[in-house]
Amino acid sequence: MCKEGKTIYQESRRQAGISQESAADILHVSVESIGAYERGETRIPCEIVVRMADVYNDPMLAYRHMTEACPVGKECLPKFEHRSESTAVLFLQKEMADVADLSREMVTAACAGTVAALGTARKEVDEMVGAGM
């Protein structure tokens, strides 16, 4: 959750150009709470993360929170990696091609009811979803 000593929450707030004091006022929490969230000392309630994402105009903050700070999100959601727009498009196309290459295997496994055979396909679909984000 920390990148060069900054948490995703601090990074997002700073990119939005909002001070801790303003963020605290807008989010209806104390400045001390904002500081504790940003230092990783206090677990942030999900409703605060949702409001932070809105106030900081950073919709990916909530997703990053789920994949980095939430045990369920860590386990179940595809990983997300920031890329330049052009790199992201190429990466998505590559992942879509990988899924297309497995299409016949996925259909055969699904029709046969052999869900265990879908493990590789699941990994590829997760990578494609992550690339699309």
Side-chain angles (χ1 to χ4, degrees):
M1 226 171 12
C2 291
K3 180 179 173 181
E4 299 172 9
K6 298 178 188 172
T7 62
I8 58 174
Y9 316 103
Q10 182 182 37
E11 183 182 313
S12 182
R13 178 185 55 76
R14 286 187 174 174
Q15 285 180 354
I18 299 173
S19 68
Q20 282 189 340
E21 291 78 11
S22 294
D25 187 47
I26 295 166
L27 296 168
H28 306 293
V29 297
S30 68
V31 175
E32 292 77 16
S33 291
I34 294 290
Y37 298 155
E38 291 184 358
R39 290 187 302 274
E41 296 172 357
T42 303
R43 173 170 257 150
I44 305 177
C46 291
E47 60 272 9
I48 298 293
V49 176
V50 170
R51 291 195 344 241
M52 283 178 167
D54 183 48
V55 168
Y56 302 163
N57 195 27
D58 183 2
M60 288 309 299
L61 177 61
Y63 191 87
R64 289 174 67 196
H65 169 81
M66 289 188 298
T67 59
E68 296 176 27
C70 172
V72 175
K74 283 181 185 180
E75 182 69 27
C76 299
L77 294 173
K79 301 300 176 239
F80 165 78
E81 192 174 319
H82 281 283
R83 293 183 169 87
S84 69
E85 194 171 302
S86 58
T87 301
V89 168
L90 292 172
F91 191 73
L92 177 58
Q93 288 179 333
K94 177 221 174 282
E95 295 301 336
M96 289 170 57
D98 289 350
V99 170
D101 289 346
L102 289 171
S103 176
R104 183 177 295 269
E105 289 176 45
M106 290 188 302
V107 170
T108 301
C111 289
T114 54
V115 178
L118 296 174
T120 301
R122 166 75 194 263
K123 177 184 172 289
E124 291 296 337
V125 170
D126 282 352
E127 288 175 357
M128 183 179 70
V129 169
M133 305 224 29

